[in-house]
């Protein structure tokens, strides 16, 4: 595999993992980016991983049916995605 092919495979696996997680949990109406990364991609050290945050944003923007929004949860503004 070439480096670009390997990176493309990782990208596709991550996007598929997010799609499967959201499809398997239709009760989710709002999900934070952090929660999505921790639960769908099983990455516990999300803070400081800017590239992963950009990828999640790209996946969600292209997925359709989800809108980027900010909600207050326990008085703290949380960025995430709301089912539209």
């Amino acid at each position: 595999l070439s480096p670009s092919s390997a990176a493309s495979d990782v990208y596709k696996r991550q996007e598929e993992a997010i799609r499967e997680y959201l499809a398997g949990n239709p009760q989710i109406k709002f999900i934070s980016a952090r929660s999505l990364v921790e639960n769908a991609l099983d990455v516990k050290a999300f803070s400081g991983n800017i590239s992963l945050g950009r990828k999640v944003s790209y996946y969600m923007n292209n997925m359709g049916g989800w809108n980027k929004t900010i909600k207050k949860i326990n008085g703290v503004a949380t960025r995430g995605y709301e089912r539209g």
Side-chain angles (χ1 to χ4, degrees), residues 29-31 60-61 64-70 79-84:
K29 302 297 181 213
F30 175 83
I31 189 164
M60 295 301 287
N61 289 338
W66 291 87
N67 301 314
K68 189 180 280 191
T69 187
I70 298 174
R79 293 181 188 178
Y81 303 89
E82 189 170 44
R83 232 181 254 272

Side-chain angles (χ1 to χ4, degrees), residues 50-71:
I50 296 169
S51 66
L52 187 55
R54 280 193 206 123
K55 285 181 190 177
V56 168
S57 177
Y58 181 75
Y59 301 148
M60 295 301 287
N61 289 338
N62 289 320
M63 192 175 303
W66 291 87
N67 301 314
K68 189 180 280 191
T69 187
I70 298 174
K71 276 197 166 188

Side-chain angles (χ1 to χ4, degrees), residues 21-22 25-36 39 60 65-74 76-84:
Y21 179 77
L22 294 173
N25 294 288
Q27 75 279 9
I28 296 174
K29 302 297 181 213
F30 175 83
I31 189 164
S32 69
R34 175 182 302 279
S35 179
L36 193 57
N39 294 308
M60 295 301 287
W66 291 87
N67 301 314
K68 189 180 280 191
T69 187
I70 298 174
K71 276 197 166 188
K72 282 206 172 192
I73 299 175
N74 295 328
V76 177
T78 304
R79 293 181 188 178
Y81 303 89
E82 189 170 44
R83 232 181 254 272

